[in-house]
Amino acid sequence: MSQLRFNALKEVFRREPVEVKIPERLSRLYNQNVFSDETMKEYLTQSAYKYIVAAKEKGEKIPREIADQVASAMKEWAISKGATHYTHWFQPLTGTTAEKHDAFFSTVEGGLAIEQFNGSMLVQQEPDASSFPNGGIRNTFEARGYTAWDPTSAAFVIDTTLCIPSVFISYTGDTLDYKTPLLRALQAVDEAATEVARYFDRNVNKVQSTLGWEQEYFLVDSALFNTRPDLQLTGRTLLGHSPAKGQQLEDHYFGSIPLRILRFMQELEVECMKLGIPIKTRHNEVAPNQFECAPIFEEANQAVDHNSLLMDLMARVARRHNFKVLLHEKPFKGVNGSGKHNNWSLSTDTGENLLSPGKNPKKNLQFLTFFINTIKAVHDYGDILRSTIASASNDHRLGANEAPPAIISIFIGSQLSGVLDELEKVTEGRLTPDEKTDLKLNIVGKIPEILLDNTDRNRTSPFAFTGNKFEFRAVGSSANCAEAMMVINTMVANQLKLFKSEVEKLIESGLTKDEAIFNVLRDYIKTSRNILFEGDGYSQSWEKEAAKRKLKNLKSTPEALKIEMEPKFMNLFLDNSVLSKVEIEARNEIKLEKYSTLIDIEAQVLVDLARNHIIPTAVIYQNKLIENVRGLKEIFSVDEYKSLAQEQIDLIKMISEKIAGIKISVDKTIAELKNCHEIMDSHKKAEAYSKKVKPYFDIIRADVDELEMMVDDEIWPLTKYRELLFTK
């Protein structure tokens, strides 16, 4: 096995950067392979195009005859791009994307063949629903499920396939994907935010949720990747001591991008441009061989589709450059893991960002309204926000000195905290003339000046305000953004509806609109104080302080997922028509099962490596030492032999002790796995994996780390010198 590693190294050192053809202007490639608005105007009749716009903006249904027109136009365009097949591209609850390809090819009478694609083919397909995660919604003998076209997200061509973004539902109408609940949440926040925005501008008819994600990832040479069964099967290194040089020198972050990596990034950007993914930023991240890319902000549904597509594109492009992309949140111990920051805001059809202050007090009151309502939403429903980022892989990252803690809090900066302090002093009921003047001129009126160069970032905060948006930093790098966006938008929609109701009651009681708004916002500031935190989220003092504030510290996935089944959080989705009770229960079941399965796979891989690779290798080296001791005994006197052989004898004993310790831990792990397999309740099973199986990972790893220090590297099979994975 050591020879396999050395051969891999030789292959890596022979690698040359792959040449990439880059146009003079990337902008010329933008949307080249997308059935975009401009393309639709070219291929569709004016009438058909209007129906598509109405479907996007107002959610209106598209008549069958119009669907036929769109399908015909889409087919002709796709064929002009070299497409031979089409697929409904959807996002099942596996966390990845899915597709079933059908050819345009069809036979007709007379032995002839044509390319066929009509409205019914565009609107709906029927994949097998029981073979995807469904949480018990579908039985194996009830396989029927449907994918349905989502006209709000643009179709695109990859290679020779027309991909049609779609939702995925069961025969009974229950959702089996990430997109459907997101679309419902976006509709809910649109309706609620539009009503509130009209307090400030009667011309607002629609509010969009916007998302700007930041995708972190590792790149590892494929030859080195293929020497690691643990990386191949689990996405992370289960064994291997930390390298001597990791990220201690802090010289990788924003450093010069290595040429092989740069070529990969350049080709990725070319492919992104063709597919309408507006990638703008690229740079080295903190850990060795860790990188990041980020796009321009987009409407949330489109942004989620683009991030899912990007993760697929990254893997495709990486193969051409002899790399493997690692999206696991913590692939290597001892260096930073990877996240996917979700930058969220709301914007109107009049072109305003509702979380950005304006040039006058009226616009700033609008900003404060949406700003404070978001804080109140997170205060009331922060625990469900924590559950959205709960996963086996993200558990390794949350709370480390690289990612936000598991305690949900909001950072807004000292300047805005001061504004809230002043607003909290507003008199209940009617405002005095002096108060009105003070609010307009000295508090609300000066918000743009306060925000200018004063909104710092707190990297330990899971939910931070960063000038004109909130940044949800705790989302994991492998996650689908849809769930976080679905929850945030549902929370905010729910809160804005409550706000509107409270304001209307005060207006009916005789207060002016502005007075009513200030009164409600003042109360929200008072009741939401506990969620605001400006300090170090990593500190133990914050854990103690958070406990005093009654903020939950849900450190593990099983703990976090229990929250989803509490009536308060179930009602949040039920009341806003985002998820049904059956769907909530099914999704919770799927997450728990996925957690247990991933820990089970890791445990089995770890047991196999320790028992069948690590121990035999240690025994081989131990036998070498024993032969050496025997030889010394043969050629030296008794006194000389004892002196010269003592170190080898001690090493033989220590190796035996470590082998025995590893074997005991392996046997206990296997026994705990058997116990877990017999547990039927999903929550109890997940807790058993968390509390009974996972602790042995660290015990085995520690013993193997010590064993590595003793054993000759020439025969070490898999794990020693993990820094080889960082070779550029």
Side-chain angles (χ1 to χ4, degrees):
M1 291 297 289
S2 62
Q3 190 60 45
L4 175 64
R5 190 175 71 238
F6 293 133
N7 288 341
L9 268 179
K10 288 179 183 178
E11 190 174 344
V12 171
F13 290 139
R14 287 196 297 263
R15 304 273 201 220
E16 292 293 333
V18 175
E19 286 303 314
V20 178
K21 188 176 180 181
I22 306 169
E24 289 184 15
R25 295 186 182 182
L26 280 176
S27 58
R28 290 175 180 170
L29 297 178
Y30 191 62
N31 274 336
Q32 189 179 92
N33 292 340
V34 180
F35 198 60
S36 62
D37 275 359
E38 288 302 312
T39 305
M40 282 192 282
K41 287 176 183 177
E42 180 183 348
Y43 277 83
L44 294 175
T45 63
Q46 207 170 34
S47 172
Y49 176 73
K50 285 181 179 178
Y51 273 105
I52 296 292
V53 171
K56 283 185 176 183
E57 295 182 355
K58 302 174 184 176
E60 294 183 5
K61 290 186 177 181
I62 297 174
R64 173 57 189 272
E65 63 273 14
I66 298 299
D68 282 333
Q69 288 184 39
V70 175
S72 178
M74 200 181 282
K75 179 195 71 176
E76 292 306 314
W77 169 78
I79 289 173
S80 75
K81 293 291 179 182
T84 58
H85 289 67
Y86 69 94
T87 182
H88 274 201
W89 181 82
F90 59 104
Q91 299 166 41
L93 298 173
T94 55
T96 57
T97 57
E99 52 201 61
K100 181 188 77 170
H101 296 200
D102 285 311
F104 290 128
F105 169 86
S106 184
T107 58
V108 293
E109 289 183 9
L112 300 175
I114 59 170
E115 274 73 33
Q116 186 179 33
F117 185 61
N118 57 35
S120 61
M121 296 172 180
L122 167 64
V123 170
Q124 184 175 296
Q125 272 190 318
E126 187 183 330
D128 184 342
S130 66
S131 298
F132 288 102
N134 58 68
I137 288 177
R138 310 300 297 143
N139 294 309
T140 304
F141 60 85
E142 296 172 318
R144 185 174 290 180
Y146 297 112
T147 51
W149 172 39
D150 170 21
T152 66
S153 189
F156 53 91
V157 169
I158 287 188
D159 295 327
T160 60
T161 304
L162 168 65
C163 299
I164 303 158
S166 304
V167 299
F168 182 38
I169 58 174
S170 72
Y171 180 69
T172 53
D174 298 309
T175 64
L176 298 171
D177 67 341
Y178 285 106
K179 181 184 273 281
T180 310
L182 173 63
L183 292 174
R184 293 171 180 169
L186 295 178
Q187 182 178 348
V189 82
D190 173 18
E191 293 172 358
T194 297
E195 286 296 309
V196 174
R198 283 179 176 163
Y199 279 141
F200 311 99
D201 184 354
R202 300 303 301 174
N203 295 316
V204 173
N205 292 308
K206 185 175 181 61
V207 172
Q208 282 189 333
S209 169
T210 60
L211 166 64
W213 40 263
E214 302 168 37
Q215 180 70 60
E216 294 177 346
Y217 60 96
F218 281 86
L219 282 177
V220 174
D221 190 279
S222 56
L224 294 172
F225 175 85
N226 290 331
T227 67
R228 295 294 303 239
D230 47 358
L231 262 185
Q232 291 175 310
L233 296 172
T234 71
R236 73 182 183 110
T237 53
L238 298 173
L239 294 171
H241 66 270
S242 297
K245 181 181 182 296
Q247 63 188 53
Q248 307 97 307
L249 296 176
E250 300 178 333
D251 56 349
H252 191 256
Y253 190 52
F254 281 20
S256 176
I257 301 172
L259 190 55
R260 276 186 67 198
I261 306 294
L262 184 60
R263 293 289 180 263
F264 159 81
M265 290 176 167
Q266 288 170 334
E267 184 173 351
L268 178 64
E269 287 168 353
V270 165
E271 296 304 316
C272 283
M273 287 298 115
K274 291 177 183 177
L275 292 167
I277 306 173
I279 289 294
K280 187 172 180 66
T281 302
R282 65 188 184 206
H283 63 85
N284 289 5
E285 255 299 332
V286 175
N289 275 27
Q290 187 188 32
F291 309 95
E292 179 179 299
C293 63
I296 296 169
F297 279 56
E298 298 181 277
E299 183 276 325
N301 180 41
Q302 187 73 73
V304 167
D305 281 2
H306 279 164
N307 183 251
S308 297
L309 180 54
L310 174 94
M311 292 192 284
D312 183 49
L313 272 181
M314 291 170 79
R316 292 170 184 249
V317 174
R319 282 193 290 271
R320 295 199 282 270
H321 291 257
N322 299 302
F323 285 125
K324 284 293 293 186
V325 174
L326 304 182
L327 294 176
H328 192 288
E329 279 73 12
K330 190 74 170 179
F332 305 110
K333 187 179 180 182
V335 296
N336 273 22
S338 298
K340 176 154 40 195
H341 305 166
N342 278 215
N343 295 282
W344 170 87
S345 191
L346 296 170
S347 63
T348 69
D349 57 350
T350 58
E352 287 194 53
N353 180 347
L354 293 172
L355 287 173
S356 182
K359 296 179 180 179
N360 57 62
K362 181 180 178 183
K363 292 300 180 187
N364 294 333
L365 181 55
Q366 174 181 274
F367 157 73
L368 283 171
T369 295
F370 286 91
F371 176 68
I372 294 170
N373 271 282
T374 301
I375 292 172
K376 182 71 163 60
V378 175
H379 173 270
D380 291 353
Y381 293 101
D383 292 339
I384 196 70
L385 201 58
R386 164 67 181 97
S387 81
T388 68
I389 42 95
S391 70
S393 50
N394 212 20
D395 276 358
H396 296 287
R397 172 179 161 266
L398 293 177
N401 286 349
E402 63 197 66
I407 304 166
I408 297 297
S409 66
I410 297 177
F411 170 84
I412 63 172
S414 58
Q415 302 290 334
L416 279 174
S417 293
V419 172
L420 298 194
D421 290 342
E422 292 300 317
L423 287 175
E424 194 173 347
K425 299 173 186 175
V426 171
T427 305
E428 185 174 353
R430 292 189 178 278
L431 302 179
T432 66
D434 287 344
E435 275 186 310
K436 288 181 181 178
T437 301
D438 188 51
L439 282 170
K440 287 184 177 181
L441 296 181
N442 299 323
I443 301 175
V444 178
K446 291 186 177 179
I447 287 175
E449 299 168 31
I450 288 170
L451 289 180
L452 189 64
D453 298 325
N454 278 314
T455 51
D456 196 5
R457 291 194 178 198
N458 184 331
R459 303 188 74 83
T460 71
S461 175
F463 205 83
F465 184 71
T466 55
N468 59 1
K469 61 190 181 298
F470 280 96
E471 182 180 24
F472 188 24
R473 297 178 50 84
V475 182
S477 55
S478 66
N480 188 312
C481 299
E483 185 164 15
M485 286 296 100
M486 180 267 288
V487 171
I488 290 172
N489 284 294
T490 303
M491 287 163 43
V492 173
N494 187 76
Q495 177 54 44
L496 289 173
K497 286 196 290 185
L498 293 174
F499 171 78
K500 177 80 163 43
S501 175
E502 291 183 55
V503 168
E504 290 300 315
K505 285 180 182 177
L506 290 180
I507 291 173
E508 289 173 8
S509 72
L511 295 186
T512 67
K513 180 184 68 179
D514 285 0
E515 287 174 333
I517 290 172
F518 275 121
N519 272 261
V520 176
L521 293 181
R522 179 205 60 229
D523 291 344
Y524 285 173
I525 293 167
K526 289 180 179 178
T527 56
S528 303
R529 279 288 182 189
N530 282 356
I531 204 71
L532 300 178
F533 179 64
E534 306 296 311
D536 182 0
Y538 298 153
S539 65
Q540 289 187 342
S541 61
W542 168 230
E543 286 196 25
K544 294 176 182 177
E545 172 63 21
K548 289 180 183 177
R549 298 186 186 191
K550 298 183 179 179
L551 299 177
K552 288 189 174 68
N553 187 4
L554 305 170
K555 292 187 176 182
S556 72
T557 291
E559 287 179 273
L561 293 181
K562 272 186 178 179
I563 293 295
E564 294 184 346
M565 305 311 294
E566 292 184 6
K568 171 184 175 180
F569 300 112
M570 292 184 75
N571 289 336
L572 173 67
F573 300 109
L574 294 171
D575 294 345
N576 291 282
S577 302
V578 172
L579 290 169
S580 68
K581 186 173 184 292
V582 169
E583 290 167 340
I584 294 169
E585 292 170 345
R587 284 161 193 271
N588 187 258
E589 178 80 15
I590 289 167
K591 291 178 195 175
L592 289 165
E593 191 62 37
K594 184 175 182 179
Y595 174 85
S596 298
T597 302
L598 288 174
I599 301 301
D600 191 89
I601 291 170
E602 287 189 352
Q604 292 191 53
V605 172
L606 181 61
V607 162
D608 176 57
L609 289 175
R611 184 171 55 186
N612 299 325
H613 295 276
I614 305 301
I615 290 177
T617 299
V619 170
I620 291 170
Y621 185 60
Q622 193 179 45
N623 288 338
K624 280 187 175 184
L625 293 174
I626 291 170
E627 288 300 314
N628 178 260
V629 170
R630 284 177 181 156
L632 291 173
K633 190 173 185 180
E634 289 175 5
I635 62 175
F636 292 104
S637 67
V638 174
D639 290 341
E640 288 178 309
Y641 156 72
K642 285 183 178 180
S643 173
L644 294 171
Q646 191 58 53
E647 185 175 341
Q648 290 93 317
I649 291 170
D650 291 342
L651 192 54
I652 290 167
K653 287 180 180 178
M654 286 191 289
I655 291 173
S656 291
E657 289 169 359
K658 286 301 167 189
I659 288 174
I662 291 170
K663 187 179 182 308
I664 290 169
S665 296
V666 163
D667 290 344
K668 287 181 177 178
T669 303
I670 292 170
E672 292 296 348
L673 284 175
K674 288 180 180 177
N675 292 335
C676 287
H677 294 165
E678 294 174 1
I679 300 173
M680 301 306 294
D681 181 89
S682 298
H683 279 95
K684 290 179 180 178
K685 178 182 280 192
E687 285 177 347
Y689 273 107
S690 177
K691 295 176 180 178
K692 301 290 187 180
V693 175
K694 278 187 72 177
Y696 285 112
F697 286 23
D698 289 335
I699 296 170
I700 294 172
R701 184 197 285 267
D703 281 340
V704 170
D705 281 357
E706 290 186 35
L707 196 55
E708 283 181 329
M709 301 299 182
M710 307 172 194
V711 176
D712 177 15
D713 183 53
E714 285 299 312
I715 59 169
W716 197 254
L718 294 168
T719 63
K720 202 167 187 181
Y721 298 128
R722 195 179 67 200
E723 60 265 39
L724 296 181
L725 290 167
F726 299 142
T727 302
K728 296 178 181 177

